Amino acid sequence: MNDKRQPDEQPEPETVRQHILAALKRHPTLRVRIVRSLQIALHSRGIVSVEQIQDEAKQQMPAPHTNAREPADEPADEPADDNAPQAARWDKYQREVMLGLIVDYAAQHFTPTEIDDIVNLTHKRDEAQALEEIATLSQISFGLLKQKVKDFCAIPAGQLKLPEHEATSVRVALIKRFISDQLEFVGVAKKHLAIRDFEDIVDRIIGNDTGLGPIGGKAGGMVLGAKILARAGETDPDAPPAKIHVPESFFVRADAMGDFFNHNGLQEFYDQKYKPIDEIRRESGLILRLFRNADFPPDIVAPIRQMLEHLGEQPLIVRSSSLLEDRFGTVFAGKYRSIFVVNQGGIDERLEALLGAIAEVYASTLMPDPISYRQHHNLLDYNENMGVLIQKIVGRQIGPYFLPVYAGVGLSHNPYRRNPRIRPEDGLARIVFGLGTRAVDRVATDFPRMIPLGLPSVRPEVQTRDIVGMSQRQADVIDLEQRRFATVDVAEVMRHGSSVPGASKVFSTLKHGFLRPLMGDGMIGDTADLVVTFDNFCQSSPIPAWIRWCLQTLEKAYGCPVDIEFASDGVDFYLLQCRPQATGKDKVKVQVPTDVPPERRIFSADRDIISAAVHGIEYVVLIDPRHYNALETVDQRLAIAQAVRRLNQVLEGHRFILLGPGRWGSKDLRLGIRVGYADINNSAMLIEIARRQDGYLPEVSFGSHFFQDMVESDIHYLALYPDEDGTVFAEDFLYGAANQLAELLPECAEQTGVVHVIHVPRANPDGLLLNLDLDGERQQALGYLAPPR
């Protein structure tokens, strides 16, 4: 901290002496510690040493107090006794003489302001020590610990800081108590969170005063990420000139979930995680209804009501913040619920809606996907409680709709190199108009804008028709009139907005076959001509460079790649989330073989490729795009998803890949197979097939929750375009091999017309297996038959 105060003129020593004595009187319990601090300051500044003061004190003391032989006065030629005292112990009278001398010297050499700084530092050190001792107690109430945090923060910051080792010790104790005890997180957070940062945290924590629990991983990551960027912004000349904001947030402590269970007699569900996954799936609907309609303890309801009265009728999002979530090594991307709350109407109506959303987040801990994920990562036995993060939704009202002008995710390491000039370390943004759900989820026919942050204007589409075809057509919004989350056409949203801040960054207009970026936020014109391109955002805005700076700064602090979620109301930029980026196993350089005989080549690709080598595939599960497209009912398509789910279980322990139409994990059954993590987590690769006649189009979903699941579980991805010139797609092998579905799953025999299971060794006379080599550098991929290794 820079000392901007003017130096005091040195007053008379007696004036300063009286100032010191007054300070000692104000702090009687700190009297000895203040004098000791003055003594250390005199010694360290070279004014008078401890030894000199001791010598003067001896000279001033009467004989009865000076007869004792000092250990330090041993003759030099006598051997030292390591077990003898090495320093004298002074009696009460001697200490008082020392105190007087220290006060006199301090009065001669320090100004009143310097005295105040030393007293203030002593007070801080005393409160810091008490705070650390309480924070490390195994049984301590939140109310008491919160008060001790506020007691420390009530002390003026002053010009003298706590010694770094003392401050670090306190920070570690508070981080472990309030946020996370994961050592990797603590190791980063202790360098960037200050003790005083915890005052705002404890003021926003919701939970009873007698309990104590952390706020969880997602909340902790947001707090830490924001502090890292704020402090870097003060010193880094490359930092954005605009402030990085965070939405107003509140934290329901993780122990509140246990209170909710106990209050409603739901303890029987603690062991739900140990049931077979099919049973968990069958009971998920029941659990959701039970939790959604359960009650909360009064000491949780009261502060939530107060929070709502403070926030007013501002749309909210209720987000999971599990103790296991957003950690180093396990990010749990999209595993738990995040629920939008419109927050309109009377206080009682708003309160019930918010409590129901929190209960639904609690219920999501017992759903199949998170339990399968925990099982896969050997975390099933961890006693997981769920914190909840409640945030204002970033955005603005456009007619009856509330939404961000743009939102998205950023990855500090870009796995998608569609152009050799793109550097992975420059990062990637995946951005949409409206709520960020369309950036993190795989949705229908829409496409977010993928922005390589080192070359933001580079995009794979060149022709206008391709840019329009790959643009976003619908936006996720909060419909304030209907009081619900909704998906509406972009043109419908903008019909209500003649002038929207930030619109010129998002939209271009299509006229006479040409795309032109908007010239200004108030020049929207005919909304039917609007196309979401983000051209001005990428070509003339500094924001991609800001996002890149954020990602690189956070990656440097975390010591690993990170991903963030962000949003903007068209004016300000908000950080919503920060966590370690999901990473798979270390990638090796892959070279696609060129000497594979044509009869052994099964399929090939030349775009959207990330390097990987997946060898020894025994089974291929192929969902025939043509036959899937011919299915007429929802139930028929859901039956296909059920067959995939069952195959994922039956083939566990075997190397298998999944090939299917359009988008795996799509919520729209017309455009892909609706599966979750628990349905595909045993596969080695997901392949998406785009056939011209079917209208299916894969989406390179880097940055989505679905993609992060795949990366973390080392499930690789590939898109195939069989109808393009120069590609290989061996229909004779893929459709002509014997279908093993009925043999593996007799109960799914009805789906044999759509679901084709190939046992690769049986499908060729030499008993070969399937290998897949993907070269991201050259954008080449080949699936081919090869002998087992």
PDB file of all heavy atoms in Angstrom, residues 4-5 36 63 79 88-89 106 111 117 137 184 226 270 296 322 395 409 439 445 460 483 506 578 588 609 648 675 689:
ATOM      1  N   LYS A   4       0.279   7.727   1.480  1.00  0.00           N
ATOM      2  CA  LYS A   4       0.052   9.038   0.899  1.00  0.00           C
ATOM      3  C   LYS A   4      -0.024  10.130   1.968  1.00  0.00           C
ATOM      4  O   LYS A   4      -0.284  11.290   1.665  1.00  0.00           O
ATOM      5  CB  LYS A   4      -1.240   9.021   0.057  1.00  0.00           C
ATOM      6  CG  LYS A   4      -1.160   8.053  -1.134  1.00  0.00           C
ATOM      7  CD  LYS A   4      -2.442   8.088  -1.937  1.00  0.00           C
ATOM      8  CE  LYS A   4      -2.357   7.113  -3.115  1.00  0.00           C
ATOM      9  NZ  LYS A   4      -3.602   7.091  -3.898  1.00  0.00           N
ATOM     10  N   ARG A   5       0.154   9.764   3.242  1.00  0.00           N
ATOM     11  CA  ARG A   5       0.061  10.745   4.310  1.00  0.00           C
ATOM     12  C   ARG A   5       1.315  11.605   4.348  1.00  0.00           C
ATOM     13  O   ARG A   5       2.418  11.147   4.052  1.00  0.00           O
ATOM     14  CB  ARG A   5      -0.106  10.042   5.667  1.00  0.00           C
ATOM     15  CG  ARG A   5      -1.368   9.203   5.746  1.00  0.00           C
ATOM     16  CD  ARG A   5      -1.422   8.456   7.040  1.00  0.00           C
ATOM     17  NE  ARG A   5      -0.240   7.628   7.227  1.00  0.00           N
ATOM     18  CZ  ARG A   5      -0.038   6.855   8.287  1.00  0.00           C
ATOM     19  NH1 ARG A   5      -0.921   6.832   9.246  1.00  0.00           N
ATOM     20  NH2 ARG A   5       1.053   6.120   8.387  1.00  0.00           N
ATOM     21  N   ARG A  36       6.238  -4.626  23.384  1.00  0.00           N
ATOM     22  CA  ARG A  36       7.134  -5.527  22.674  1.00  0.00           C
ATOM     23  C   ARG A  36       7.239  -5.118  21.204  1.00  0.00           C
ATOM     24  O   ARG A  36       8.322  -5.146  20.613  1.00  0.00           O
ATOM     25  CB  ARG A  36       6.636  -6.963  22.781  1.00  0.00           C
ATOM     26  CG  ARG A  36       7.595  -7.986  22.168  1.00  0.00           C
ATOM     27  CD  ARG A  36       6.959  -9.365  22.104  1.00  0.00           C
ATOM     28  NE  ARG A  36       6.441  -9.765  23.393  1.00  0.00           N
ATOM     29  CZ  ARG A  36       5.266 -10.377  23.577  1.00  0.00           C
ATOM     30  NH1 ARG A  36       4.497 -10.642  22.538  1.00  0.00           N
ATOM     31  NH2 ARG A  36       4.861 -10.718  24.788  1.00  0.00           N
ATOM     32  N   ALA A  63      20.944  -2.486  43.411  1.00  0.00           N
ATOM     33  CA  ALA A  63      21.804  -3.680  43.531  1.00  0.00           C
ATOM     34  C   ALA A  63      21.065  -4.991  43.667  1.00  0.00           C
ATOM     35  O   ALA A  63      21.448  -5.985  43.038  1.00  0.00           O
ATOM     36  CB  ALA A  63      22.777  -3.493  44.691  1.00  0.00           C
ATOM     37  N   PRO A  79      33.905 -23.440  28.645  1.00  0.00           N
ATOM     38  CA  PRO A  79      33.100 -24.180  27.663  1.00  0.00           C
ATOM     39  C   PRO A  79      31.615 -23.895  27.847  1.00  0.00           C
ATOM     40  O   PRO A  79      31.135 -23.832  28.984  1.00  0.00           O
ATOM     41  CB  PRO A  79      33.451 -25.640  27.959  1.00  0.00           C
ATOM     42  CG  PRO A  79      33.910 -25.643  29.371  1.00  0.00           C
ATOM     43  CD  PRO A  79      34.595 -24.324  29.598  1.00  0.00           C
ATOM     44  N   ALA A  88      18.776 -14.417  30.278  1.00  0.00           N
ATOM     45  CA  ALA A  88      18.313 -14.178  31.652  1.00  0.00           C
ATOM     46  C   ALA A  88      16.810 -13.993  31.678  1.00  0.00           C
ATOM     47  O   ALA A  88      16.201 -13.532  30.711  1.00  0.00           O
ATOM     48  CB  ALA A  88      18.989 -12.936  32.213  1.00  0.00           C
ATOM     49  N   ARG A  89      16.190 -14.332  32.782  1.00  0.00           N
ATOM     50  CA  ARG A  89      14.768 -14.090  32.983  1.00  0.00           C
ATOM     51  C   ARG A  89      14.639 -12.925  33.958  1.00  0.00           C
ATOM     52  O   ARG A  89      15.154 -12.955  35.072  1.00  0.00           O
ATOM     53  CB  ARG A  89      14.086 -15.337  33.525  1.00  0.00           C
ATOM     54  CG  ARG A  89      12.584 -15.161  33.700  1.00  0.00           C
ATOM     55  CD  ARG A  89      11.915 -16.470  34.001  1.00  0.00           C
ATOM     56  NE  ARG A  89      10.494 -16.297  34.239  1.00  0.00           N
ATOM     57  CZ  ARG A  89       9.578 -16.192  33.281  1.00  0.00           C
ATOM     58  NH1 ARG A  89       9.964 -16.258  32.031  1.00  0.00           N
ATOM     59  NH2 ARG A  89       8.312 -16.019  33.579  1.00  0.00           N
ATOM     60  N   ALA A 106      10.893   5.291  22.190  1.00  0.00           N
ATOM     61  CA  ALA A 106       9.858   5.434  21.167  1.00  0.00           C
ATOM     62  C   ALA A 106       9.367   6.872  21.091  1.00  0.00           C
ATOM     63  O   ALA A 106       9.113   7.402  19.994  1.00  0.00           O
ATOM     64  CB  ALA A 106       8.697   4.481  21.453  1.00  0.00           C
ATOM     65  N   THR A 111       6.823   9.314  15.534  1.00  0.00           N
ATOM     66  CA  THR A 111       5.737  10.296  15.538  1.00  0.00           C
ATOM     67  C   THR A 111       4.475   9.632  16.092  1.00  0.00           C
ATOM     68  O   THR A 111       4.370   8.394  16.147  1.00  0.00           O
ATOM     69  CB  THR A 111       5.447  10.790  14.120  1.00  0.00           C
ATOM     70  OG1 THR A 111       4.935   9.703  13.341  1.00  0.00           O
ATOM     71  CG2 THR A 111       6.708  11.342  13.462  1.00  0.00           C
ATOM     72  N   ASP A 117       0.248   3.390  14.100  1.00  0.00           N
ATOM     73  CA  ASP A 117       0.401   2.257  13.179  1.00  0.00           C
ATOM     74  C   ASP A 117       0.894   1.014  13.917  1.00  0.00           C
ATOM     75  O   ASP A 117       0.429  -0.108  13.650  1.00  0.00           O
ATOM     76  CB  ASP A 117       1.364   2.614  12.054  1.00  0.00           C
ATOM     77  CG  ASP A 117       0.732   3.507  10.994  1.00  0.00           C
ATOM     78  OD1 ASP A 117      -0.513   3.527  10.916  1.00  0.00           O
ATOM     79  OD2 ASP A 117       1.479   4.172  10.256  1.00  0.00           O
ATOM     80  N   LEU A 137     -10.903 -24.641  15.336  1.00  0.00           N
ATOM     81  CA  LEU A 137     -11.583 -25.516  16.292  1.00  0.00           C
ATOM     82  C   LEU A 137     -12.525 -26.451  15.545  1.00  0.00           C
ATOM     83  O   LEU A 137     -13.185 -26.058  14.583  1.00  0.00           O
ATOM     84  CB  LEU A 137     -12.365 -24.691  17.309  1.00  0.00           C
ATOM     85  CG  LEU A 137     -11.539 -23.855  18.295  1.00  0.00           C
ATOM     86  CD1 LEU A 137     -12.472 -23.000  19.156  1.00  0.00           C
ATOM     87  CD2 LEU A 137     -10.684 -24.755  19.176  1.00  0.00           C
ATOM     88  N   GLU A 184      -5.332 -28.433  -3.223  1.00  0.00           N
ATOM     89  CA  GLU A 184      -4.981 -27.723  -4.445  1.00  0.00           C
ATOM     90  C   GLU A 184      -5.672 -26.353  -4.484  1.00  0.00           C
ATOM     91  O   GLU A 184      -5.067 -25.352  -4.872  1.00  0.00           O
ATOM     92  CB  GLU A 184      -5.376 -28.535  -5.685  1.00  0.00           C
ATOM     93  CG  GLU A 184      -4.586 -29.815  -5.870  1.00  0.00           C
ATOM     94  CD  GLU A 184      -5.236 -31.009  -5.185  1.00  0.00           C
ATOM     95  OE1 GLU A 184      -6.076 -30.795  -4.278  1.00  0.00           O
ATOM     96  OE2 GLU A 184      -4.917 -32.146  -5.549  1.00  0.00           O
ATOM     97  N   ALA A 226     -12.804 -13.875  -9.163  1.00  0.00           N
ATOM     98  CA  ALA A 226     -13.037 -12.436  -9.168  1.00  0.00           C
ATOM     99  C   ALA A 226     -11.925 -11.689  -8.443  1.00  0.00           C
ATOM    100  O   ALA A 226     -11.476 -10.624  -8.899  1.00  0.00           O
ATOM    101  CB  ALA A 226     -14.389 -12.130  -8.524  1.00  0.00           C
ATOM    102  N   TYR A 270     -29.915 -40.868   2.146  1.00  0.00           N
ATOM    103  CA  TYR A 270     -28.457 -40.714   2.204  1.00  0.00           C
ATOM    104  C   TYR A 270     -27.735 -41.867   1.514  1.00  0.00           C
ATOM    105  O   TYR A 270     -26.640 -41.694   0.978  1.00  0.00           O
ATOM    106  CB  TYR A 270     -27.989 -40.623   3.656  1.00  0.00           C
ATOM    107  CG  TYR A 270     -28.133 -39.249   4.270  1.00  0.00           C
ATOM    108  CD1 TYR A 270     -28.787 -39.074   5.490  1.00  0.00           C
ATOM    109  CD2 TYR A 270     -27.612 -38.123   3.646  1.00  0.00           C
ATOM    110  CE1 TYR A 270     -28.921 -37.822   6.068  1.00  0.00           C
ATOM    111  CE2 TYR A 270     -27.740 -36.861   4.211  1.00  0.00           C
ATOM    112  CZ  TYR A 270     -28.399 -36.713   5.421  1.00  0.00           C
ATOM    113  OH  TYR A 270     -28.526 -35.471   5.983  1.00  0.00           O
ATOM    114  N   PHE A 296     -38.640 -26.200   4.669  1.00  0.00           N
ATOM    115  CA  PHE A 296     -37.318 -25.794   5.136  1.00  0.00           C
ATOM    116  C   PHE A 296     -37.397 -25.365   6.593  1.00  0.00           C
ATOM    117  O   PHE A 296     -38.418 -24.830   7.036  1.00  0.00           O
ATOM    118  CB  PHE A 296     -36.774 -24.646   4.281  1.00  0.00           C
ATOM    119  CG  PHE A 296     -36.175 -25.078   2.982  1.00  0.00           C
ATOM    120  CD1 PHE A 296     -36.974 -25.399   1.897  1.00  0.00           C
ATOM    121  CD2 PHE A 296     -34.791 -25.166   2.837  1.00  0.00           C
ATOM    122  CE1 PHE A 296     -36.423 -25.800   0.695  1.00  0.00           C
ATOM    123  CE2 PHE A 296     -34.228 -25.563   1.641  1.00  0.00           C
ATOM    124  CZ  PHE A 296     -35.037 -25.882   0.568  1.00  0.00           C
ATOM    125  N   SER A 322     -21.702 -27.776  -4.934  1.00  0.00           N
ATOM    126  CA  SER A 322     -21.345 -28.969  -4.166  1.00  0.00           C
ATOM    127  C   SER A 322     -19.922 -28.866  -3.624  1.00  0.00           C
ATOM    128  O   SER A 322     -19.067 -28.174  -4.176  1.00  0.00           O
ATOM    129  CB  SER A 322     -21.478 -30.200  -5.073  1.00  0.00           C
ATOM    130  OG  SER A 322     -20.707 -31.269  -4.592  1.00  0.00           O
ATOM    131  N   GLY A 395     -28.318  -9.142 -17.036  1.00  0.00           N
ATOM    132  CA  GLY A 395     -29.058  -8.889 -18.260  1.00  0.00           C
ATOM    133  C   GLY A 395     -29.836  -7.592 -18.189  1.00  0.00           C
ATOM    134  O   GLY A 395     -29.634  -6.756 -17.305  1.00  0.00           O
ATOM    135  N   VAL A 409     -19.012 -19.158 -22.476  1.00  0.00           N
ATOM    136  CA  VAL A 409     -17.953 -19.811 -21.720  1.00  0.00           C
ATOM    137  C   VAL A 409     -16.623 -19.516 -22.399  1.00  0.00           C
ATOM    138  O   VAL A 409     -16.560 -19.282 -23.611  1.00  0.00           O
ATOM    139  CB  VAL A 409     -18.159 -21.343 -21.627  1.00  0.00           C
ATOM    140  CG1 VAL A 409     -19.428 -21.678 -20.880  1.00  0.00           C
ATOM    141  CG2 VAL A 409     -18.191 -21.984 -23.013  1.00  0.00           C
ATOM    142  N   ALA A 439     -25.015 -21.882 -24.588  1.00  0.00           N
ATOM    143  CA  ALA A 439     -23.569 -22.030 -24.770  1.00  0.00           C
ATOM    144  C   ALA A 439     -23.044 -23.273 -24.065  1.00  0.00           C
ATOM    145  O   ALA A 439     -22.053 -23.854 -24.504  1.00  0.00           O
ATOM    146  CB  ALA A 439     -22.835 -20.794 -24.243  1.00  0.00           C
ATOM    147  N   THR A 445     -31.146 -26.881 -33.465  1.00  0.00           N
ATOM    148  CA  THR A 445     -30.425 -26.544 -34.699  1.00  0.00           C
ATOM    149  C   THR A 445     -29.557 -25.307 -34.553  1.00  0.00           C
ATOM    150  O   THR A 445     -29.019 -24.811 -35.533  1.00  0.00           O
ATOM    151  CB  THR A 445     -31.433 -26.295 -35.837  1.00  0.00           C
ATOM    152  OG1 THR A 445     -32.346 -25.269 -35.441  1.00  0.00           O
ATOM    153  CG2 THR A 445     -32.204 -27.558 -36.153  1.00  0.00           C
ATOM    154  N   PRO A 460     -14.867 -20.730 -39.562  1.00  0.00           N
ATOM    155  CA  PRO A 460     -14.765 -21.744 -40.613  1.00  0.00           C
ATOM    156  C   PRO A 460     -15.654 -21.447 -41.809  1.00  0.00           C
ATOM    157  O   PRO A 460     -15.366 -21.880 -42.918  1.00  0.00           O
ATOM    158  CB  PRO A 460     -15.186 -23.038 -39.910  1.00  0.00           C
ATOM    159  CG  PRO A 460     -16.028 -22.591 -38.761  1.00  0.00           C
ATOM    160  CD  PRO A 460     -15.468 -21.271 -38.336  1.00  0.00           C
ATOM    161  N   ARG A 483     -43.880 -15.490 -16.626  1.00  0.00           N
ATOM    162  CA  ARG A 483     -43.181 -15.901 -15.405  1.00  0.00           C
ATOM    163  C   ARG A 483     -42.572 -17.297 -15.542  1.00  0.00           C
ATOM    164  O   ARG A 483     -42.820 -18.195 -14.743  1.00  0.00           O
ATOM    165  CB  ARG A 483     -44.110 -15.840 -14.189  1.00  0.00           C
ATOM    166  CG  ARG A 483     -44.595 -14.445 -13.877  1.00  0.00           C
ATOM    167  CD  ARG A 483     -45.359 -14.375 -12.567  1.00  0.00           C
ATOM    168  NE  ARG A 483     -45.807 -13.015 -12.299  1.00  0.00           N
ATOM    169  CZ  ARG A 483     -46.475 -12.640 -11.212  1.00  0.00           C
ATOM    170  NH1 ARG A 483     -46.768 -13.545 -10.283  1.00  0.00           N
ATOM    171  NH2 ARG A 483     -46.842 -11.386 -11.050  1.00  0.00           N
ATOM    172  N   VAL A 506     -23.490  -7.824 -31.526  1.00  0.00           N
ATOM    173  CA  VAL A 506     -24.088  -9.157 -31.687  1.00  0.00           C
ATOM    174  C   VAL A 506     -24.618  -9.394 -33.097  1.00  0.00           C
ATOM    175  O   VAL A 506     -24.418 -10.471 -33.666  1.00  0.00           O
ATOM    176  CB  VAL A 506     -25.229  -9.344 -30.656  1.00  0.00           C
ATOM    177  CG1 VAL A 506     -25.925 -10.696 -30.848  1.00  0.00           C
ATOM    178  CG2 VAL A 506     -24.708  -9.196 -29.237  1.00  0.00           C
ATOM    179  N   CYS A 578     -15.650 -19.748 -12.316  1.00  0.00           N
ATOM    180  CA  CYS A 578     -14.265 -20.039 -12.675  1.00  0.00           C
ATOM    181  C   CYS A 578     -13.885 -21.375 -12.058  1.00  0.00           C
ATOM    182  O   CYS A 578     -14.185 -21.621 -10.875  1.00  0.00           O
ATOM    183  CB  CYS A 578     -13.334 -18.939 -12.163  1.00  0.00           C
ATOM    184  SG  CYS A 578     -11.577 -19.294 -12.415  1.00  0.00           S
ATOM    185  N   VAL A 588      -0.831 -37.442 -27.086  1.00  0.00           N
ATOM    186  CA  VAL A 588       0.420 -37.759 -27.772  1.00  0.00           C
ATOM    187  C   VAL A 588       0.263 -37.379 -29.242  1.00  0.00           C
ATOM    188  O   VAL A 588      -0.842 -37.253 -29.765  1.00  0.00           O
ATOM    189  CB  VAL A 588       0.750 -39.265 -27.647  1.00  0.00           C
ATOM    190  CG1 VAL A 588       0.987 -39.620 -26.189  1.00  0.00           C
ATOM    191  CG2 VAL A 588      -0.377 -40.119 -28.217  1.00  0.00           C
ATOM    192  N   ILE A 609     -11.252 -32.032 -35.780  1.00  0.00           N
ATOM    193  CA  ILE A 609     -10.537 -33.193 -35.228  1.00  0.00           C
ATOM    194  C   ILE A 609      -9.619 -32.754 -34.099  1.00  0.00           C
ATOM    195  O   ILE A 609      -8.883 -31.770 -34.223  1.00  0.00           O
ATOM    196  CB  ILE A 609      -9.726 -33.904 -36.338  1.00  0.00           C
ATOM    197  CG1 ILE A 609     -10.682 -34.506 -37.376  1.00  0.00           C
ATOM    198  CG2 ILE A 609      -8.821 -34.985 -35.747  1.00  0.00           C
ATOM    199  CD1 ILE A 609     -10.013 -34.899 -38.665  1.00  0.00           C
ATOM    200  N   ASN A 648     -24.544 -49.515 -22.842  1.00  0.00           N
ATOM    201  CA  ASN A 648     -23.462 -48.916 -22.062  1.00  0.00           C
ATOM    202  C   ASN A 648     -23.156 -49.743 -20.821  1.00  0.00           C
ATOM    203  O   ASN A 648     -22.003 -49.865 -20.397  1.00  0.00           O
ATOM    204  CB  ASN A 648     -23.850 -47.483 -21.670  1.00  0.00           C
ATOM    205  CG  ASN A 648     -22.741 -46.762 -20.929  1.00  0.00           C
ATOM    206  OD1 ASN A 648     -21.664 -46.531 -21.455  1.00  0.00           O
ATOM    207  ND2 ASN A 648     -23.006 -46.412 -19.670  1.00  0.00           N
ATOM    208  N   VAL A 675     -29.223 -38.615 -24.443  1.00  0.00           N
ATOM    209  CA  VAL A 675     -28.499 -39.401 -23.453  1.00  0.00           C
ATOM    210  C   VAL A 675     -27.791 -38.442 -22.504  1.00  0.00           C
ATOM    211  O   VAL A 675     -27.535 -37.278 -22.831  1.00  0.00           O
ATOM    212  CB  VAL A 675     -27.455 -40.337 -24.104  1.00  0.00           C
ATOM    213  CG1 VAL A 675     -28.127 -41.456 -24.872  1.00  0.00           C
ATOM    214  CG2 VAL A 675     -26.504 -39.554 -25.012  1.00  0.00           C
ATOM    215  N   ILE A 689     -22.761 -38.536 -37.051  1.00  0.00           N
ATOM    216  CA  ILE A 689     -22.836 -38.733 -38.493  1.00  0.00           C
ATOM    217  C   ILE A 689     -23.765 -37.693 -39.104  1.00  0.00           C
ATOM    218  O   ILE A 689     -24.906 -37.532 -38.665  1.00  0.00           O
ATOM    219  CB  ILE A 689     -23.349 -40.142 -38.832  1.00  0.00           C
ATOM    220  CG1 ILE A 689     -22.483 -41.212 -38.146  1.00  0.00           C
ATOM    221  CG2 ILE A 689     -23.383 -40.368 -40.335  1.00  0.00           C
ATOM    222  CD1 ILE A 689     -23.049 -42.612 -38.269  1.00  0.00           C
TER     223      ILE A 689
END
